Amino acid sequence: MSAPSLSWLAAAYIGIPQRRELQLAQRPVTHSLRIYLIFLVLFITLTIYMTPYSLALVTIYYPRLSILGLIGDAFTALILAASTAFFYYAVVSERGQGMWAWLANRLSENGYV
C-alpha cells in the first residue's frame, strides 16, 4: 500500500520535470547527491519488500531451512503493519494533510497538472 505514496513523494522531493511535447524535458534532469540518496532509499525499500519472497524461495529449494519460511511470514506481517501505519498517517490522519498539500504544490511547480 505504501509503494505508490512513496514514489509520489520521492518524485516530488527530487523535482523530476514533467515531460510534454515531443518527449522533451522542460528543464534538464540534474544529478545531485539528493537524487542518489533518494534512489538508495528506494532501493533499500525494494530490498525490504523482496526479502520475504527470497526467504520463501530458499525454503522451497532447501526444505531443511523451513524456519526461514516462518521468519519470512513474520517479516511479511511486519511490513504489512508498517505499510498500514504509513497509509493511515499519509491518507487518513489530519497530520497527512500538510504532506499532501506540499506534494500537490511541489508537483504543480514542476509542471504536473
Side-chain angles (χ1 to χ4, degrees):
M1 288 188 290
S2 62
S5 302
L6 287 174
S7 64
W8 294 333
L9 289 170
Y13 186 72
I14 292 172
I16 298 174
Q18 171 72 5
R19 297 184 182 268
R20 292 195 180 162
E21 305 163 11
L22 302 175
Q23 298 298 324
L24 299 175
Q26 300 246 340
R27 68 177 169 88
V29 176
T30 57
H31 297 280
S32 67
L33 181 61
R34 180 192 326 181
I35 291 174
Y36 291 123
L37 289 176
I38 290 294
F39 282 132
L40 179 66
V41 168
L42 291 176
F43 180 74
I44 290 170
T45 303
L46 180 65
T47 304
I48 290 170
Y49 287 161
M50 293 302 294
T51 299
Y53 175 73
S54 302
L55 291 175
L57 280 179
V58 170
T59 303
I60 288 172
Y61 290 114
Y62 301 103
R64 289 186 176 183
L65 300 174
S66 62
I67 189 73
L68 292 179
L70 297 174
I71 293 171
D73 291 343
F75 200 65
T76 301
L78 181 68
I79 291 171
L80 182 63
S83 177
T84 303
F86 177 76
F87 184 78
Y88 174 79
Y89 174 78
V91 176
V92 179
S93 75
E94 293 180 12
R95 294 182 181 181
Q97 290 177 356
M99 179 178 64
W100 288 109
W102 171 82
L103 175 73
N105 289 337
R106 180 78 173 162
L107 289 177
S108 65
E109 290 170 2
N110 289 331
Y112 292 83
V113 179

